[in-house]
Amino acid sequence: MQTIKDFGKELGLNEAQTKMLEVYMTGVVMELVESIKEDNIKNFDETINSLKS
């Protein structure tokens, strides 16, 4: 798997641009993981509630 630094080199980005790309991608991944977490919690809550009925 390619690292962000490798990808930056491939795109011809300088160090500052590569760092900005890394910060952006980290934010995107964090938002995605948080969304998955929230969906899982919601699904667990719905399952628990349906079993209580």
Side-chain angles (χ1 to χ4, degrees):
M1 179 147 87
Q2 198 174 33
T3 67
I4 292 176
K5 285 184 181 183
D6 294 336
F7 189 56
K9 285 180 186 175
E10 184 179 309
L11 293 174
L13 303 178
N14 64 36
E15 193 173 319
Q17 292 169 319
T18 300
K19 183 64 180 172
M20 287 178 18
L21 177 62
E22 181 179 9
V23 168
Y24 174 77
M25 292 304 299
T26 299
V28 169
V29 170
M30 287 175 57
E31 285 182 33
L32 176 62
V33 171
E34 186 66 33
S35 176
I36 292 169
K37 175 186 166 188
E38 289 172 8
D39 287 346
N40 281 331
I41 289 171
K42 179 182 174 191
N43 289 338
F44 280 126
D45 287 343
E46 288 173 358
T47 301
I48 290 167
N49 290 334
S50 71
L51 291 173
K52 286 180 180 178
S53 302

mmCIF file of all heavy atoms in Angstrom:
data_model
loop_
_atom_site.group_PDB
_atom_site.id
_atom_site.type_symbol
_atom_site.label_atom_id
_atom_site.label_comp_id
_atom_site.label_asym_id
_atom_site.label_seq_id
_atom_site.Cartn_x
_atom_site.Cartn_y
_atom_site.Cartn_z
ATOM 1 N N MET A 1 0.842 -1.169 0.000
ATOM 2 C CA MET A 1 0.000 0.000 0.000
ATOM 3 C C MET A 1 0.893 1.240 0.000
ATOM 4 O O MET A 1 1.911 1.297 0.675
ATOM 5 C CB MET A 1 -0.928 -0.005 1.219
ATOM 6 C CG MET A 1 -1.795 1.197 1.267
ATOM 7 S SD MET A 1 -3.408 0.957 1.952
ATOM 8 C CE MET A 1 -3.262 1.176 3.649
ATOM 9 N N GLN A 2 0.473 2.219 -0.740
ATOM 10 C CA GLN A 2 1.237 3.454 -0.907
ATOM 11 C C GLN A 2 0.999 4.399 0.274
ATOM 12 O O GLN A 2 -0.132 4.550 0.741
ATOM 13 C CB GLN A 2 0.778 4.105 -2.209
ATOM 14 C CG GLN A 2 1.691 5.124 -2.776
ATOM 15 C CD GLN A 2 1.185 5.593 -4.136
ATOM 16 O OE1 GLN A 2 -0.012 5.653 -4.365
ATOM 17 N NE2 GLN A 2 2.098 5.913 -5.024
ATOM 18 N N THR A 3 2.066 5.004 0.774
ATOM 19 C CA THR A 3 1.915 5.996 1.836
ATOM 20 C C THR A 3 1.587 7.349 1.221
ATOM 21 O O THR A 3 1.735 7.554 0.013
ATOM 22 C CB THR A 3 3.207 6.142 2.669
ATOM 23 O OG1 THR A 3 4.225 6.701 1.830
ATOM 24 C CG2 THR A 3 3.667 4.807 3.242
ATOM 25 N N ILE A 4 1.140 8.259 2.066
ATOM 26 C CA ILE A 4 0.836 9.612 1.577
ATOM 27 C C ILE A 4 2.105 10.274 1.067
ATOM 28 O O ILE A 4 2.083 10.977 0.046
ATOM 29 C CB ILE A 4 0.154 10.445 2.683
ATOM 30 C CG1 ILE A 4 -1.241 9.871 2.963
ATOM 31 C CG2 ILE A 4 0.060 11.912 2.286
ATOM 32 C CD1 ILE A 4 -1.992 10.534 4.080
ATOM 33 N N LYS A 5 3.233 10.023 1.731
ATOM 34 C CA LYS A 5 4.503 10.607 1.256
ATOM 35 C C LYS A 5 4.857 10.070 -0.127
ATOM 36 O O LYS A 5 5.292 10.834 -0.998
ATOM 37 C CB LYS A 5 5.627 10.299 2.246
ATOM 38 C CG LYS A 5 5.553 11.127 3.505
ATOM 39 C CD LYS A 5 6.739 10.863 4.415
ATOM 40 C CE LYS A 5 6.618 11.698 5.669
ATOM 41 N NZ LYS A 5 7.755 11.538 6.558
ATOM 42 N N ASP A 6 4.660 8.760 -0.334
ATOM 43 C CA ASP A 6 4.918 8.177 -1.656
ATOM 44 C C ASP A 6 4.000 8.784 -2.704
ATOM 45 O O ASP A 6 4.425 9.112 -3.810
ATOM 46 C CB ASP A 6 4.705 6.658 -1.630
ATOM 47 C CG ASP A 6 5.707 5.922 -0.762
ATOM 48 O OD1 ASP A 6 6.815 6.450 -0.538
ATOM 49 O OD2 ASP A 6 5.375 4.809 -0.296
ATOM 50 N N PHE A 7 2.732 8.944 -2.343
ATOM 51 C CA PHE A 7 1.754 9.517 -3.257
ATOM 52 C C PHE A 7 2.117 10.969 -3.588
ATOM 53 O O PHE A 7 2.021 11.395 -4.735
ATOM 54 C CB PHE A 7 0.357 9.417 -2.650
ATOM 55 C CG PHE A 7 -0.753 9.776 -3.586
ATOM 56 C CD1 PHE A 7 -0.914 9.132 -4.802
ATOM 57 C CD2 PHE A 7 -1.663 10.758 -3.247
ATOM 58 C CE1 PHE A 7 -1.942 9.458 -5.667
ATOM 59 C CE2 PHE A 7 -2.697 11.104 -4.099
ATOM 60 C CZ PHE A 7 -2.838 10.454 -5.324
ATOM 61 N N GLY A 8 2.540 11.719 -2.576
ATOM 62 C CA GLY A 8 2.968 13.094 -2.795
ATOM 63 C C GLY A 8 4.142 13.182 -3.754
ATOM 64 O O GLY A 8 4.171 14.039 -4.641
ATOM 65 N N LYS A 9 5.104 12.274 -3.587
ATOM 66 C CA LYS A 9 6.260 12.245 -4.500
ATOM 67 C C LYS A 9 5.810 11.925 -5.921
ATOM 68 O O LYS A 9 6.270 12.526 -6.878
ATOM 69 C CB LYS A 9 7.276 11.214 -4.026
ATOM 70 C CG LYS A 9 8.068 11.649 -2.823
ATOM 71 C CD LYS A 9 9.061 10.573 -2.404
ATOM 72 C CE LYS A 9 9.747 10.950 -1.107
ATOM 73 N NZ LYS A 9 10.623 9.862 -0.620
ATOM 74 N N GLU A 10 4.895 10.946 -6.028
ATOM 75 C CA GLU A 10 4.392 10.551 -7.343
ATOM 76 C C GLU A 10 3.684 11.713 -8.041
ATOM 77 O O GLU A 10 3.788 11.883 -9.263
ATOM 78 C CB GLU A 10 3.427 9.377 -7.180
ATOM 79 C CG GLU A 10 2.909 8.801 -8.478
ATOM 80 C CD GLU A 10 1.986 7.619 -8.246
ATOM 81 O OE1 GLU A 10 2.370 6.697 -7.503
ATOM 82 O OE2 GLU A 10 0.886 7.637 -8.821
ATOM 83 N N LEU A 11 2.974 12.518 -7.259
ATOM 84 C CA LEU A 11 2.270 13.671 -7.819
ATOM 85 C C LEU A 11 3.176 14.883 -8.011
ATOM 86 O O LEU A 11 2.758 15.892 -8.577
ATOM 87 C CB LEU A 11 1.106 14.065 -6.904
ATOM 88 C CG LEU A 11 -0.040 13.071 -6.801
ATOM 89 C CD1 LEU A 11 -1.039 13.521 -5.745
ATOM 90 C CD2 LEU A 11 -0.712 12.894 -8.146
ATOM 91 N N GLY A 12 4.409 14.816 -7.494
ATOM 92 C CA GLY A 12 5.339 15.928 -7.623
ATOM 93 C C GLY A 12 5.065 17.041 -6.634
ATOM 94 O O GLY A 12 5.383 18.206 -6.905
ATOM 95 N N LEU A 13 4.464 16.704 -5.491
ATOM 96 C CA LEU A 13 4.160 17.712 -4.475
ATOM 97 C C LEU A 13 5.401 18.015 -3.645
ATOM 98 O O LEU A 13 6.242 17.140 -3.436
ATOM 99 C CB LEU A 13 3.046 17.206 -3.548
ATOM 100 C CG LEU A 13 1.725 16.810 -4.198
ATOM 101 C CD1 LEU A 13 0.760 16.297 -3.140
ATOM 102 C CD2 LEU A 13 1.127 17.958 -4.978
ATOM 103 N N ASN A 14 5.487 19.251 -3.158
ATOM 104 C CA ASN A 14 6.577 19.573 -2.249
ATOM 105 C C ASN A 14 6.183 19.106 -0.839
ATOM 106 O O ASN A 14 5.075 18.620 -0.622
ATOM 107 C CB ASN A 14 6.945 21.060 -2.304
ATOM 108 C CG ASN A 14 5.824 21.971 -1.836
ATOM 109 O OD1 ASN A 14 5.076 21.641 -0.920
ATOM 110 N ND2 ASN A 14 5.713 23.141 -2.464
ATOM 111 N N GLU A 15 7.078 19.287 0.113
ATOM 112 C CA GLU A 15 6.845 18.790 1.470
ATOM 113 C C GLU A 15 5.628 19.430 2.133
ATOM 114 O O GLU A 15 4.837 18.755 2.790
ATOM 115 C CB GLU A 15 8.101 19.018 2.328
ATOM 116 C CG GLU A 15 8.079 18.267 3.642
ATOM 117 C CD GLU A 15 9.398 18.371 4.394
ATOM 118 O OE1 GLU A 15 10.459 18.297 3.756
ATOM 119 O OE2 GLU A 15 9.337 18.522 5.626
ATOM 120 N N ALA A 16 5.460 20.726 1.936
ATOM 121 C CA ALA A 16 4.314 21.430 2.536
ATOM 122 C C ALA A 16 2.999 20.944 1.932
ATOM 123 O O ALA A 16 2.010 20.742 2.650
ATOM 124 C CB ALA A 16 4.455 22.938 2.346
ATOM 125 N N GLN A 17 2.982 20.741 0.634
ATOM 126 C CA GLN A 17 1.773 20.245 -0.025
ATOM 127 C C GLN A 17 1.447 18.826 0.420
ATOM 128 O O GLN A 17 0.284 18.480 0.633
ATOM 129 C CB GLN A 17 1.936 20.297 -1.547
ATOM 130 C CG GLN A 17 1.985 21.693 -2.104
ATOM 131 C CD GLN A 17 2.405 21.707 -3.562
ATOM 132 O OE1 GLN A 17 3.306 20.964 -3.977
ATOM 133 N NE2 GLN A 17 1.758 22.555 -4.354
ATOM 134 N N THR A 18 2.480 18.021 0.561
ATOM 135 C CA THR A 18 2.283 16.651 1.025
ATOM 136 C C THR A 18 1.725 16.639 2.440
ATOM 137 O O THR A 18 0.827 15.854 2.759
ATOM 138 C CB THR A 18 3.612 15.859 0.961
ATOM 139 O OG1 THR A 18 4.080 15.842 -0.395
ATOM 140 C CG2 THR A 18 3.436 14.433 1.441
ATOM 141 N N LYS A 19 2.208 17.527 3.288
ATOM 142 C CA LYS A 19 1.698 17.630 4.659
ATOM 143 C C LYS A 19 0.235 18.058 4.651
ATOM 144 O O LYS A 19 -0.576 17.520 5.412
ATOM 145 C CB LYS A 19 2.555 18.606 5.470
ATOM 146 C CG LYS A 19 2.154 18.724 6.921
ATOM 147 C CD LYS A 19 2.341 17.400 7.659
ATOM 148 C CE LYS A 19 1.946 17.523 9.110
ATOM 149 N NZ LYS A 19 1.930 16.233 9.780
ATOM 150 N N MET A 20 -0.120 19.008 3.792
ATOM 151 C CA MET A 20 -1.514 19.450 3.689
ATOM 152 C C MET A 20 -2.407 18.295 3.219
ATOM 153 O O MET A 20 -3.523 18.118 3.728
ATOM 154 C CB MET A 20 -1.641 20.642 2.743
ATOM 155 C CG MET A 20 -1.097 21.932 3.344
ATOM 156 S SD MET A 20 -1.120 23.431 2.292
ATOM 157 C CE MET A 20 -2.239 23.111 1.002
ATOM 158 N N LEU A 21 -1.925 17.513 2.277
ATOM 159 C CA LEU A 21 -2.659 16.340 1.804
ATOM 160 C C LEU A 21 -2.847 15.339 2.938
ATOM 161 O O LEU A 21 -3.937 14.787 3.115
ATOM 162 C CB LEU A 21 -1.931 15.688 0.627
ATOM 163 C CG LEU A 21 -2.539 14.406 0.078
ATOM 164 C CD1 LEU A 21 -3.937 14.655 -0.478
ATOM 165 C CD2 LEU A 21 -1.632 13.802 -0.982
ATOM 166 N N GLU A 22 -1.806 15.127 3.727
ATOM 167 C CA GLU A 22 -1.877 14.200 4.855
ATOM 168 C C GLU A 22 -2.913 14.665 5.884
ATOM 169 O O GLU A 22 -3.726 13.864 6.358
ATOM 170 C CB GLU A 22 -0.510 14.068 5.517
ATOM 171 C CG GLU A 22 -0.483 13.106 6.674
ATOM 172 C CD GLU A 22 0.899 12.969 7.300
ATOM 173 O OE1 GLU A 22 1.813 13.741 6.946
ATOM 174 O OE2 GLU A 22 1.047 12.087 8.136
ATOM 175 N N VAL A 23 -2.911 15.945 6.201
ATOM 176 C CA VAL A 23 -3.878 16.495 7.164
ATOM 177 C C VAL A 23 -5.294 16.327 6.627
ATOM 178 O O VAL A 23 -6.201 15.910 7.353
ATOM 179 C CB VAL A 23 -3.559 17.980 7.458
ATOM 180 C CG1 VAL A 23 -4.683 18.651 8.216
ATOM 181 C CG2 VAL A 23 -2.250 18.092 8.236
ATOM 182 N N TYR A 24 -5.488 16.633 5.364
ATOM 183 C CA TYR A 24 -6.812 16.504 4.751
ATOM 184 C C TYR A 24 -7.295 15.054 4.773
ATOM 185 O O TYR A 24 -8.425 14.772 5.182
ATOM 186 C CB TYR A 24 -6.786 17.037 3.314
ATOM 187 C CG TYR A 24 -8.085 16.801 2.587
ATOM 188 C CD1 TYR A 24 -9.190 17.612 2.835
ATOM 189 C CD2 TYR A 24 -8.213 15.761 1.668
ATOM 190 C CE1 TYR A 24 -10.395 17.400 2.181
ATOM 191 C CE2 TYR A 24 -9.414 15.538 1.014
ATOM 192 C CZ TYR A 24 -10.501 16.354 1.274
ATOM 193 O OH TYR A 24 -11.691 16.120 0.631
ATOM 194 N N MET A 25 -6.438 14.143 4.338
ATOM 195 C CA MET A 25 -6.825 12.723 4.276
ATOM 196 C C MET A 25 -7.087 12.157 5.669
ATOM 197 O O MET A 25 -8.008 11.356 5.848
ATOM 198 C CB MET A 25 -5.748 11.906 3.555
ATOM 199 C CG MET A 25 -5.630 12.230 2.075
ATOM 200 S SD MET A 25 -7.174 12.044 1.156
ATOM 201 C CE MET A 25 -7.517 10.324 1.380
ATOM 202 N N THR A 26 -6.317 12.582 6.640
ATOM 203 C CA THR A 26 -6.545 12.135 8.015
ATOM 204 C C THR A 26 -7.924 12.589 8.483
ATOM 205 O O THR A 26 -8.664 11.809 9.096
ATOM 206 C CB THR A 26 -5.448 12.672 8.950
ATOM 207 O OG1 THR A 26 -4.182 12.166 8.504
ATOM 208 C CG2 THR A 26 -5.675 12.253 10.385
ATOM 209 N N GLY A 27 -8.290 13.809 8.177
ATOM 210 C CA GLY A 27 -9.615 14.315 8.531
ATOM 211 C C GLY A 27 -10.730 13.537 7.861
ATOM 212 O O GLY A 27 -11.743 13.209 8.490
ATOM 213 N N VAL A 28 -10.553 13.223 6.586
ATOM 214 C CA VAL A 28 -11.563 12.462 5.842
ATOM 215 C C VAL A 28 -11.730 11.069 6.459
ATOM 216 O O VAL A 28 -12.853 10.612 6.679
ATOM 217 C CB VAL A 28 -11.180 12.356 4.349
ATOM 218 C CG1 VAL A 28 -12.054 11.351 3.627
ATOM 219 C CG2 VAL A 28 -11.272 13.710 3.675
ATOM 220 N N VAL A 29 -10.622 10.422 6.744
ATOM 221 C CA VAL A 29 -10.688 9.081 7.335
ATOM 222 C C VAL A 29 -11.335 9.130 8.718
ATOM 223 O O VAL A 29 -12.166 8.270 9.051
ATOM 224 C CB VAL A 29 -9.278 8.441 7.395
ATOM 225 C CG1 VAL A 29 -9.280 7.168 8.223
ATOM 226 C CG2 VAL A 29 -8.769 8.164 5.986
ATOM 227 N N MET A 30 -11.001 10.131 9.514
ATOM 228 C CA MET A 30 -11.599 10.253 10.845
ATOM 229 C C MET A 30 -13.106 10.446 10.753
ATOM 230 O O MET A 30 -13.863 9.842 11.522
ATOM 231 C CB MET A 30 -10.951 11.403 11.612
ATOM 232 C CG MET A 30 -9.544 11.080 12.073
ATOM 233 S SD MET A 30 -8.690 12.465 12.864
ATOM 234 C CE MET A 30 -9.786 12.865 14.195
ATOM 235 N N GLU A 31 -13.574 11.273 9.805
ATOM 236 C CA GLU A 31 -15.007 11.476 9.626
ATOM 237 C C GLU A 31 -15.691 10.181 9.201
ATOM 238 O O GLU A 31 -16.784 9.859 9.686
ATOM 239 C CB GLU A 31 -15.267 12.560 8.580
ATOM 240 C CG GLU A 31 -15.009 13.966 9.078
ATOM 241 C CD GLU A 31 -15.334 15.022 8.032
ATOM 242 O OE1 GLU A 31 -16.284 14.798 7.227
ATOM 243 O OE2 GLU A 31 -14.646 16.049 8.014
ATOM 244 N N LEU A 32 -15.055 9.427 8.321
ATOM 245 C CA LEU A 32 -15.618 8.164 7.856
ATOM 246 C C LEU A 32 -15.738 7.166 8.997
ATOM 247 O O LEU A 32 -16.783 6.535 9.185
ATOM 248 C CB LEU A 32 -14.760 7.585 6.733
ATOM 249 C CG LEU A 32 -15.173 6.219 6.205
ATOM 250 C CD1 LEU A 32 -16.571 6.270 5.594
ATOM 251 C CD2 LEU A 32 -14.166 5.734 5.178
ATOM 252 N N VAL A 33 -14.684 7.030 9.788
ATOM 253 C CA VAL A 33 -14.694 6.098 10.909
ATOM 254 C C VAL A 33 -15.738 6.513 11.948
ATOM 255 O O VAL A 33 -16.453 5.667 12.492
ATOM 256 C CB VAL A 33 -13.282 5.974 11.533
ATOM 257 C CG1 VAL A 33 -13.307 5.196 12.822
ATOM 258 C CG2 VAL A 33 -12.334 5.321 10.534
ATOM 259 N N GLU A 34 -15.847 7.800 12.216
ATOM 260 C CA GLU A 34 -16.847 8.294 13.169
ATOM 261 C C GLU A 34 -18.256 7.987 12.676
ATOM 262 O O GLU A 34 -19.119 7.583 13.455
ATOM 263 C CB GLU A 34 -16.679 9.799 13.388
ATOM 264 C CG GLU A 34 -17.572 10.371 14.447
ATOM 265 C CD GLU A 34 -17.295 9.880 15.855
ATOM 266 O OE1 GLU A 34 -16.126 9.605 16.183
ATOM 267 O OE2 GLU A 34 -18.259 9.762 16.636
ATOM 268 N N SER A 35 -18.481 8.147 11.378
ATOM 269 C CA SER A 35 -19.783 7.840 10.803
ATOM 270 C C SER A 35 -20.114 6.352 10.936
ATOM 271 O O SER A 35 -21.242 5.981 11.286
ATOM 272 C CB SER A 35 -19.799 8.250 9.335
ATOM 273 O OG SER A 35 -21.008 7.878 8.721
ATOM 274 N N ILE A 36 -19.145 5.509 10.670
ATOM 275 C CA ILE A 36 -19.335 4.062 10.815
ATOM 276 C C ILE A 36 -19.633 3.718 12.271
ATOM 277 O O ILE A 36 -20.532 2.925 12.564
ATOM 278 C CB ILE A 36 -18.098 3.293 10.307
ATOM 279 C CG1 ILE A 36 -17.979 3.442 8.790
ATOM 280 C CG2 ILE A 36 -18.167 1.818 10.700
ATOM 281 C CD1 ILE A 36 -16.666 2.958 8.216
ATOM 282 N N LYS A 37 -18.921 4.338 13.182
ATOM 283 C CA LYS A 37 -19.144 4.119 14.615
ATOM 284 C C LYS A 37 -20.570 4.487 14.999
ATOM 285 O O LYS A 37 -21.256 3.721 15.683
ATOM 286 C CB LYS A 37 -18.142 4.939 15.426
ATOM 287 C CG LYS A 37 -18.355 4.880 16.923
ATOM 288 C CD LYS A 37 -17.411 5.848 17.632
ATOM 289 C CE LYS A 37 -17.798 6.066 19.058
ATOM 290 N NZ LYS A 37 -17.023 7.120 19.693
ATOM 291 N N GLU A 38 -21.017 5.673 14.562
ATOM 292 C CA GLU A 38 -22.372 6.127 14.893
ATOM 293 C C GLU A 38 -23.425 5.190 14.316
ATOM 294 O O GLU A 38 -24.426 4.897 14.972
ATOM 295 C CB GLU A 38 -22.571 7.556 14.404
ATOM 296 C CG GLU A 38 -21.793 8.580 15.203
ATOM 297 C CD GLU A 38 -21.824 9.978 14.601
ATOM 298 O OE1 GLU A 38 -22.586 10.199 13.627
ATOM 299 O OE2 GLU A 38 -21.086 10.838 15.096
ATOM 300 N N ASP A 39 -23.213 4.723 13.078
ATOM 301 C CA ASP A 39 -24.154 3.781 12.464
ATOM 302 C C ASP A 39 -24.220 2.476 13.250
ATOM 303 O O ASP A 39 -25.301 1.916 13.449
ATOM 304 C CB ASP A 39 -23.766 3.487 11.014
ATOM 305 C CG ASP A 39 -24.046 4.638 10.071
ATOM 306 O OD1 ASP A 39 -24.783 5.573 10.464
ATOM 307 O OD2 ASP A 39 -23.530 4.605 8.936
ATOM 308 N N ASN A 40 -23.069 1.994 13.690
ATOM 309 C CA ASN A 40 -23.044 0.753 14.463
ATOM 310 C C ASN A 40 -23.756 0.908 15.798
ATOM 311 O O ASN A 40 -24.514 0.028 16.213
ATOM 312 C CB ASN A 40 -21.608 0.271 14.682
ATOM 313 C CG ASN A 40 -21.043 -0.411 13.468
ATOM 314 O OD1 ASN A 40 -21.764 -1.004 12.680
ATOM 315 N ND2 ASN A 40 -19.735 -0.342 13.309
ATOM 316 N N ILE A 41 -23.531 2.024 16.460
ATOM 317 C CA ILE A 41 -24.199 2.272 17.745
ATOM 318 C C ILE A 41 -25.713 2.324 17.528
ATOM 319 O O ILE A 41 -26.483 1.718 18.286
ATOM 320 C CB ILE A 41 -23.675 3.568 18.396
ATOM 321 C CG1 ILE A 41 -22.238 3.359 18.884
ATOM 322 C CG2 ILE A 41 -24.577 4.004 19.553
ATOM 323 C CD1 ILE A 41 -21.540 4.631 19.341
ATOM 324 N N LYS A 42 -26.142 3.022 16.484
ATOM 325 C CA LYS A 42 -27.572 3.110 16.177
ATOM 326 C C LYS A 42 -28.141 1.723 15.913
ATOM 327 O O LYS A 42 -29.214 1.370 16.417
ATOM 328 C CB LYS A 42 -27.791 4.018 14.971
ATOM 329 C CG LYS A 42 -29.233 4.165 14.564
ATOM 330 C CD LYS A 42 -29.383 5.038 13.335
ATOM 331 C CE LYS A 42 -30.819 5.055 12.855
ATOM 332 N NZ LYS A 42 -30.941 5.671 11.551
ATOM 333 N N ASN A 43 -27.429 0.915 15.130
ATOM 334 C CA ASN A 43 -27.898 -0.437 14.821
ATOM 335 C C ASN A 43 -27.975 -1.301 16.073
ATOM 336 O O ASN A 43 -28.928 -2.072 16.250
ATOM 337 C CB ASN A 43 -26.996 -1.101 13.782
ATOM 338 C CG ASN A 43 -27.161 -0.502 12.403
ATOM 339 O OD1 ASN A 43 -28.179 0.110 12.095
ATOM 340 N ND2 ASN A 43 -26.154 -0.660 11.565
ATOM 341 N N PHE A 44 -26.981 -1.205 16.953
ATOM 342 C CA PHE A 44 -27.016 -1.959 18.202
ATOM 343 C C PHE A 44 -28.201 -1.530 19.061
ATOM 344 O O PHE A 44 -28.916 -2.372 19.612
ATOM 345 C CB PHE A 44 -25.715 -1.790 18.997
ATOM 346 C CG PHE A 44 -24.588 -2.650 18.506
ATOM 347 C CD1 PHE A 44 -23.369 -2.070 18.173
ATOM 348 C CD2 PHE A 44 -24.716 -4.018 18.380
ATOM 349 C CE1 PHE A 44 -22.311 -2.846 17.726
ATOM 350 C CE2 PHE A 44 -23.673 -4.798 17.927
ATOM 351 C CZ PHE A 44 -22.463 -4.213 17.603
ATOM 352 N N ASP A 45 -28.416 -0.216 19.159
ATOM 353 C CA ASP A 45 -29.538 0.295 19.949
ATOM 354 C C ASP A 45 -30.871 -0.213 19.384
ATOM 355 O O ASP A 45 -31.749 -0.624 20.140
ATOM 356 C CB ASP A 45 -29.524 1.817 19.993
ATOM 357 C CG ASP A 45 -28.428 2.381 20.863
ATOM 358 O OD1 ASP A 45 -27.867 1.629 21.690
ATOM 359 O OD2 ASP A 45 -28.117 3.587 20.714
ATOM 360 N N GLU A 46 -31.007 -0.180 18.066
ATOM 361 C CA GLU A 46 -32.251 -0.657 17.446
ATOM 362 C C GLU A 46 -32.443 -2.154 17.715
ATOM 363 O O GLU A 46 -33.570 -2.603 17.987
ATOM 364 C CB GLU A 46 -32.233 -0.391 15.948
ATOM 365 C CG GLU A 46 -32.381 1.077 15.587
ATOM 366 C CD GLU A 46 -32.197 1.353 14.101
ATOM 367 O OE1 GLU A 46 -31.916 0.420 13.337
ATOM 368 O OE2 GLU A 46 -32.350 2.533 13.718
ATOM 369 N N THR A 47 -31.381 -2.928 17.633
ATOM 370 C CA THR A 47 -31.470 -4.369 17.890
ATOM 371 C C THR A 47 -31.848 -4.640 19.329
ATOM 372 O O THR A 47 -32.732 -5.467 19.610
ATOM 373 C CB THR A 47 -30.125 -5.060 17.539
ATOM 374 O OG1 THR A 47 -29.818 -4.819 16.179
ATOM 375 C CG2 THR A 47 -30.202 -6.552 17.821
ATOM 376 N N ILE A 48 -31.218 -3.938 20.242
ATOM 377 C CA ILE A 48 -31.517 -4.115 21.665
ATOM 378 C C ILE A 48 -32.976 -3.759 21.945
ATOM 379 O O ILE A 48 -33.688 -4.495 22.636
ATOM 380 C CB ILE A 48 -30.556 -3.287 22.537
ATOM 381 C CG1 ILE A 48 -29.155 -3.884 22.478
ATOM 382 C CG2 ILE A 48 -31.049 -3.202 23.986
ATOM 383 C CD1 ILE A 48 -28.068 -2.998 23.038
ATOM 384 N N ASN A 49 -33.421 -2.634 21.411
ATOM 385 C CA ASN A 49 -34.814 -2.220 21.608
ATOM 386 C C ASN A 49 -35.813 -3.201 21.025
ATOM 387 O O ASN A 49 -36.863 -3.447 21.607
ATOM 388 C CB ASN A 49 -35.039 -0.814 21.049
ATOM 389 C CG ASN A 49 -34.346 0.248 21.880
ATOM 390 O OD1 ASN A 49 -34.101 0.075 23.064
ATOM 391 N ND2 ASN A 49 -34.005 1.355 21.234
ATOM 392 N N SER A 50 -35.491 -3.779 19.871
ATOM 393 C CA SER A 50 -36.413 -4.748 19.281
ATOM 394 C C SER A 50 -36.457 -6.041 20.093
ATOM 395 O O SER A 50 -37.486 -6.702 20.148
ATOM 396 C CB SER A 50 -36.026 -5.038 17.832
ATOM 397 O OG SER A 50 -34.841 -5.798 17.749
ATOM 398 N N LEU A 51 -35.353 -6.384 20.735
ATOM 399 C CA LEU A 51 -35.343 -7.597 21.570
ATOM 400 C C LEU A 51 -36.090 -7.380 22.875
ATOM 401 O O LEU A 51 -36.634 -8.338 23.455
ATOM 402 C CB LEU A 51 -33.897 -8.015 21.859
ATOM 403 C CG LEU A 51 -33.098 -8.545 20.670
ATOM 404 C CD1 LEU A 51 -31.646 -8.742 21.069
ATOM 405 C CD2 LEU A 51 -33.697 -9.826 20.118
ATOM 406 N N LYS A 52 -36.146 -6.140 23.342
ATOM 407 C CA LYS A 52 -36.854 -5.841 24.583
ATOM 408 C C LYS A 52 -38.365 -5.901 24.390
ATOM 409 O O LYS A 52 -39.104 -6.110 25.346
ATOM 410 C CB LYS A 52 -36.487 -4.433 25.093
ATOM 411 C CG LYS A 52 -35.102 -4.346 25.683
ATOM 412 C CD LYS A 52 -34.833 -2.922 26.146
ATOM 413 C CE LYS A 52 -33.463 -2.784 26.752
ATOM 414 N NZ LYS A 52 -33.200 -1.397 27.159
ATOM 415 N N SER A 53 -38.825 -5.698 23.170
ATOM 416 C CA SER A 53 -40.272 -5.638 22.902
ATOM 417 C C SER A 53 -40.942 -6.985 23.054
ATOM 418 O O SER A 53 -40.537 -8.006 22.855
ATOM 419 C CB SER A 53 -40.528 -5.110 21.503
ATOM 420 O OG SER A 53 -39.947 -3.831 21.369
#
